[in-house]
Amino acid sequence: MDTKVHITRGFFTEDECFDLILKYHNNLKWATTLGGFNPYDSEIRITKNKLWKNDTDLENKFQRTPLIFQFCEYTKGHFYTWHKDYDSKFKRLKTGIVLLNYDFEGGEFELEHYGICDLGMGDSLWFDARLMHQVKPITDGIRYSLVIWQSNK
């Protein structure tokens, strides 16, 4: 398993981040986990999200394909405990994260073998989808992020 972490500072501009928030923040649903657990009762994940694929503009920006995208909103108390994005059904090879804002507290992204990842608005982080990672609880504000998965399908 590849434990390398690749961070690109300022991959998205503030305007690009803001545009993504405006485009997706009104179309969110309560998120489930890969196993389909009920998010209201779950001790695993509490967040809202929107999933989509076949986004040529974003695939060109990341210069990777095929990609699946997830826009996430974490508000006060929301979190996602330790998990990995790869399993036998979802053949995700790489996971990417882009932090879309900075006006929140808590919500640190932590990665196995690396620790807390110091991400700024617009920074892009890529890692092997088999690595365990988590988003710590939000203590104030709203955290927006774009998650990207590269698969072999």
Side-chain angles (χ1 to χ4, degrees):
M1 175 174 19
D2 183 7
T3 59
K4 292 179 185 170
V5 174
H6 181 76
I7 298 176
T8 303
R9 302 286 179 198
F11 185 77
F12 278 30
T13 65
E14 284 194 24
D15 285 344
E16 289 172 318
C17 292
F18 187 64
D19 288 345
L20 283 168
I21 293 169
L22 285 178
K23 186 173 183 177
Y24 294 110
H25 85 280
N26 285 326
N27 299 313
L28 303 176
K29 296 182 179 181
W30 287 108
T32 60
T33 61
L34 284 176
F37 298 105
N38 182 340
Y40 297 106
D41 298 330
S42 180
E43 293 184 10
I44 297 172
R45 178 182 195 176
I46 302 175
T47 185
K48 290 183 176 181
N49 73 349
K50 175 175 177 50
L51 290 161
W52 75 98
K53 58 184 175 179
N54 302 321
D55 189 319
T56 305
D57 291 337
L58 284 175
E59 287 178 338
N60 287 340
K61 175 85 174 170
F62 288 104
Q63 297 181 355
R64 297 170 188 242
T65 189
L67 297 177
I68 301 168
F69 302 95
Q70 176 181 240
F71 177 86
C72 295
E73 176 188 89
Y74 292 82
T75 59
K76 188 174 181 178
H78 290 186
F79 62 92
Y80 198 166
T81 60
W82 287 105
H83 66 284
K84 57 186 172 182
D85 294 334
Y86 182 90
D87 74 7
S88 59
K89 182 178 178 184
F90 298 97
K91 303 263 193 275
R92 298 170 179 163
L93 304 175
K94 295 282 185 186
T95 297
I97 306 287
V98 178
L99 190 61
L100 299 176
N101 68 322
Y102 53 79
D103 48 346
F104 63 89
E105 294 179 24
E108 296 89 355
F109 184 83
E110 187 171 6
L111 188 60
E112 177 183 35
H113 306 299
Y114 189 84
I116 300 293
C117 298
D118 181 26
L119 296 175
M121 182 177 181
D123 291 348
S124 171
L125 166 72
W126 284 91
F127 57 92
D128 189 305
R130 295 172 292 180
L131 287 176
M132 297 288 288
H133 55 282
Q134 71 172 337
V135 176
K136 293 189 170 192
I138 300 295
T139 57
D140 191 42
I142 302 174
R143 177 190 190 271
Y144 292 107
S145 60
L146 177 66
V147 178
I148 310 98
W149 296 292
Q150 183 177 11
S151 68
N152 63 357
K153 291 183 178 182

